[in-house]
Amino acid sequence: MKKHLLLILCVLGFFTPPLCAGAKEVSIDFSKQGYSNGSELSTITLDNGNITLSFAKGSNSSNSPKYYDTGKAARLYGGNTMMVTSNAGNITKAVFSVDSNNAIKDGSTVNVGSLSGLGENTTTWTGNAPSFMLKQGGTSGHCRITNLTITYADGGEPSVETVATPAIEPNGGEVEAGSKILVNCDTEGASIVYKWSDGEEVNTGENIVEIDAQAGSLCVWATKDGMNNSAVVTADFTIKGDTPVPPTPSTNGQWILVKDASELVAGMHFIIVNQEAKKAVKTEANQNNRKAVDITLNEGLNVAEISSDVMIFELGGSENAWTIATINYLGDSGNGYIGNTNSSKNYCFVGVDIADAPAKISIAKDTYDANIKFTTKETSRSILKYNPNTNGDPLFACYSSGQKTVHIYKFVETAPERPVLAEDENDGDKIVITGAEGTTIHWRTVEGMATAPAKAASDLAGWNRNDNTETPHVLSLSKDAHDLKGKTIEYMAVSASGLQSDKGMFAVADDGVVTGIEGFEAEAVEAEVEWFNLQGVRIANPESGLYIRRQGNKISKVVVR
């Protein structure tokens, strides 16, 4: 009787003796699995297939779980996941042995059961489930797991069937707001249980359910009396419009070497370069550091063009407390701030808290070397430098000495070119105005001559802004719907920072004929001369004033006295 009671209590998880009767224990030493240094981890099977370990990047967009000889451990970076699954009886305990300086962080979570010993040399999961998933907390750094010991029920007689694993459709990704997620379990009479991220468990009582979509990680399993719970499945979702999207920086200009600290102003965009190697910080991580990408310097040591994988930064804050945030790579936390939050490692993270991001920046007078020093941690490993890393990929990270200096190149924008005017070849009612990508077309109807170009976005009162957010640099106007007949229209392109192109003008006659006024060049032909006022109305006998003169395809503005 005592033996049976002990077994029942053990399986139910009310307490865990050293090793319950009918339970098995299996261990893995990651240093003895034959991995080469830097190997990515995916799936490991133990105990003749009874236990499976599955590794995934999770919410970390840069680093996946890997094995490294340093520490002789499996590394989980912030957001990475490890799924532990038993194909036999339920798992009741898992003990993670970790490197003392790289523990499983506070804030790490499991989808079922509980964790103890976070931040310590040993972290223990306890519960009673066929599988559980560990998600490493934080947005920077990693844990190093050297050994893992798993305790699970051996099954025995009589055998107990396991509920079928639920299927999630769609299985993660970006979905529309208000949409539904279908979850189906093939075991009749089973009850689907789910929870969102850190939310409450919901036991639906049904084996087919629809769940309201939301941003986060959906965790699903199924239960049925007299059967083992199903394996746990997860899917990560984002809602369209909710995901931070890096803005597209203007490329109409060039990158100029910063030669004095007085040139540093909040809001400026810049790149970080090592001139000697002609390398810039890349939008890709190298473990806890930043990779490097090639650039081309012109004769004046300026950069005319950059590739899309060069990391672009925006300066914030003020002198002695600058913040540096990327604008074309947001990091795992979605904020993009860079810094080094580890006082003893040569790291440079993206996605640190703004409180950990302040930096001092100075520029050397003769060499223009930039000294970028993060000031949160009192450590010598706080100066951003370039490491040629001749034994591997070159990188940018934080050091005290012995590495290469960096330079700052600020972006200097030039005004966009005047947009191109054309009539739609397939629709005689449409007029298309096309500017450079990254600009937005503005237009208005005018009386008389066009005014001088506005100098900033704040001077755009009275202008109509292109409301096509997908292609704001292409404007399609309807002669009828926009009431353009008999009117003169002024147009220009405006960059994201407010710089404006030269203005163009055109007139639409009462009969719908379009006459370009500025920027229009055409071959002169012998034809009848026609006159229009600035509203595009045909005039038989112009009196004194300013008129539009058209002769065939030759169009000009003429003052009649």
Side-chain angles (χ1 to χ4, degrees), residues 70-334:
T70 302
K72 299 186 181 302
R75 296 189 183 184
L76 292 185
Y77 299 88
N80 287 172
T81 63
M82 174 197 286
M83 178 76 80
V84 182
T85 302
S86 170
N87 299 309
N90 281 2
I91 302 168
T92 56
K93 185 178 181 182
V95 179
F96 298 84
S97 299
V98 298
D99 182 301
S100 59
N101 293 319
N102 295 273
I104 298 176
K105 286 189 173 184
D106 288 332
S108 298
T109 59
V110 288
N111 61 321
V112 65
S114 61
L115 288 173
S116 60
L118 290 174
E120 300 175 5
N121 292 353
T122 300
T123 297
T124 302
W125 175 89
T126 53
N128 190 349
S131 65
F132 71 91
M133 183 178 71
L134 168 69
K135 182 175 183 179
Q136 169 74 349
T139 58
S140 60
H142 60 267
C143 68
R144 299 182 184 181
I145 303 171
T146 56
N147 297 80
L148 172 60
T149 299
I150 302 162
T151 304
Y152 68 99
D154 189 22
E157 296 295 337
S159 61
V160 179
E161 292 185 4
T162 300
V163 178
T165 302
I168 303 174
E169 178 61 36
N171 190 26
E174 188 178 51
V175 295
E176 297 282 353
S179 60
K180 301 288 186 180
I181 299 167
L182 177 66
V183 180
N184 174 50
C185 176
D186 288 339
T187 301
E188 291 204 11
S191 175
I192 289 171
V193 185
Y194 72 90
K195 60 181 287 190
W196 283 101
S197 299
D198 297 325
E200 298 293 326
E201 288 185 10
V202 178
N203 193 328
T204 66
E206 304 288 342
N207 69 321
I208 301 176
V209 296
E210 285 187 331
I211 300 172
D212 292 333
Q214 60 178 270
S217 182
L218 176 63
C219 181
V220 177
W221 64 98
T223 66
K224 184 177 180 180
D225 289 344
M227 298 180 69
N228 290 325
N229 292 351
S230 74
V232 179
V233 288
T234 62
D236 294 324
F237 291 90
T238 58
I239 303 299
K240 287 185 178 180
D242 283 357
T243 305
V245 178
T248 301
S250 171
T251 55
N252 189 33
Q254 64 176 329
W255 303 88
I256 307 296
L257 176 63
V258 172
K259 298 181 178 181
D260 191 270
S262 62
E263 299 178 48
L264 302 176
V265 293
M268 69 176 254
H269 291 173
F270 63 98
I271 60 178
I272 298 174
V273 170
N274 175 262
Q275 282 185 351
E276 180 183 0
K278 297 181 181 178
K279 299 282 189 181
V281 179
K282 187 178 182 180
T283 56
E284 185 177 350
N286 183 347
Q287 302 307 315
N288 299 297
N289 306 306
R290 306 297 104 198
K291 285 189 175 182
V293 61
D294 293 328
I295 57 167
T296 301
L297 297 176
N298 60 25
E299 292 182 0
L301 293 181
N302 294 323
V303 181
E305 294 183 4
I306 61 174
S307 59
S308 60
D309 53 357
V310 172
M311 187 174 283
I312 301 175
F313 301 96
E314 181 174 279
L315 194 64
S318 57
E319 186 177 1
N320 294 324
W322 296 112
T323 58
I324 301 173
T326 71
I327 62 172
N328 58 340
Y329 174 79
L330 297 179
D332 300 327
S333 63

Side-chain angles (χ1 to χ4, degrees), residues 400-412:
S400 56
S401 61
Q403 301 299 337
K404 305 292 185 178
T405 56
V406 298
H407 297 83
I408 292 175
Y409 283 74
K410 66 180 180 180
F411 184 71
V412 178

Side-chain angles (χ1 to χ4, degrees), residues 25-36:
E25 192 174 85
V26 60
S27 297
I28 178 174
D29 181 339
F30 286 96
S31 69
K32 297 180 179 179
Q33 305 307 307
Y35 293 119
S36 59

